[in-house]
Amino acid sequence: MTEFLPVSSSAHLRVVPALLGWDDPGAAFTAVTQIGTEAAVLIYFRHDLIRMARAWWTSLRERTFLRSTDPDARLAWYVALGTVPIGVLGLLLEDLIESSFRDLRVTATMLIVIGLGLLVAERMGNARKQTEDMTLRDAITLGFAQALALIPGVSRSGATISGGLLLGYDRVAATRFAFLLAIPAVVLSGLFKLPDAFGGDGPGWGPPYWLRRWPS
């Protein structure tokens, strides 16, 4: 449920097991479960995504790329390029993401920091720009903001929305771009970590723990 709010769903998947005395489900479990919530985003934005995909293909065929006059084509390119920071940093910091970053103290600290960041962005944002006003520089900046979500406790949507508000986008535009930007990042990270969900002692694809323990 928290995946759709500007709070960290990965933090909840880290904190709740700790409160209940369960083992840490791990970064792979978090990445894979987010594919489910992202399915709802894909359904909600299906018309936008189809339109953007067609416009992107046209810009590719005509070799106009970011110079396309179609705002949907440019938006598609911005989403693709804005995904690069989290992809590169995710691969470079994979070991830290699965170990040090999952420290509960780090998670708690980042929950507070991103909450304050949302407050500051809400107060300081001038909220004038729309998604049609998006530039490559803004897309890359928001891509780095999204990359902060590699740390449990940092909300992916919260960080991106805060960045959008500080760059002058209104709430609707900042939120729309945040969810569009999350689609390739969440889906690709989930698929990348999918093999890890089959191994280990943590949550996976097998029957639930209580069912495995049930006497035959």
Side-chain angles (χ1 to χ4, degrees):
M1 291 177 64
T2 55
E3 181 70 17
F4 303 105
L5 302 173
V7 293
S8 177
S9 58
S10 59
H12 287 77
L13 289 174
R14 177 69 184 96
V15 172
V16 172
L19 290 174
L20 297 177
W22 302 341
D23 293 333
D24 180 3
F29 177 77
T30 301
V32 172
T33 55
Q34 287 178 336
I35 294 179
T37 53
E38 203 60 27
V41 177
L42 289 169
I43 293 171
Y44 182 83
F45 283 108
R46 63 189 183 280
H47 299 302
D48 300 68
L49 293 172
I50 292 171
R51 193 173 61 249
M52 288 167 59
R54 288 173 175 168
W56 176 83
W57 178 251
T58 299
S59 73
L60 194 65
R61 191 178 64 243
E62 296 177 352
R63 298 188 178 186
T64 53
F65 307 113
L66 288 172
R67 294 178 286 102
S68 173
T69 57
D70 191 330
D72 287 324
R74 294 198 303 273
L75 185 60
W77 281 107
Y78 292 149
V79 168
L81 295 173
T83 305
V84 172
I86 196 170
V88 173
L89 292 174
L91 291 174
L92 293 177
L93 302 176
E94 184 176 5
D95 291 339
L96 287 174
I97 294 168
E98 296 180 352
S99 55
S100 301
F101 284 0
R102 298 192 69 81
D103 188 300
L104 283 171
R105 292 166 295 188
V106 174
T107 301
T109 300
M110 297 314 298
L111 279 169
I112 296 170
V113 169
I114 197 64
L116 293 174
L118 279 166
L119 179 62
V120 171
E122 179 70 21
R123 297 287 179 85
M124 295 183 61
N126 54 25
R128 291 195 305 266
K129 295 157 69 174
Q130 305 296 319
T131 50
E132 292 79 8
D133 302 314
M134 183 69 63
T135 64
L136 178 59
R137 180 179 179 180
D138 287 352
I140 298 298
T141 300
L142 294 177
F144 277 103
Q146 177 180 245
L148 293 174
L150 293 170
I151 307 173
V154 177
S155 164
R156 184 191 311 277
S157 59
T160 314
I161 291 171
S162 295
L165 292 174
L166 291 173
L167 289 174
Y169 293 89
D170 67 19
R171 294 185 188 88
V172 174
T175 303
R176 179 169 181 257
F177 188 75
F179 278 97
L180 290 173
L181 186 63
I183 290 173
V186 171
V187 173
L188 291 176
S189 65
L191 294 177
F192 179 73
K193 288 294 185 180
L194 191 59
D196 296 340
F198 287 91
D201 298 325
W205 290 107
Y209 177 79
W210 62 267
L211 188 56
R212 295 198 302 267
R213 300 279 294 184
W214 197 265
S216 58

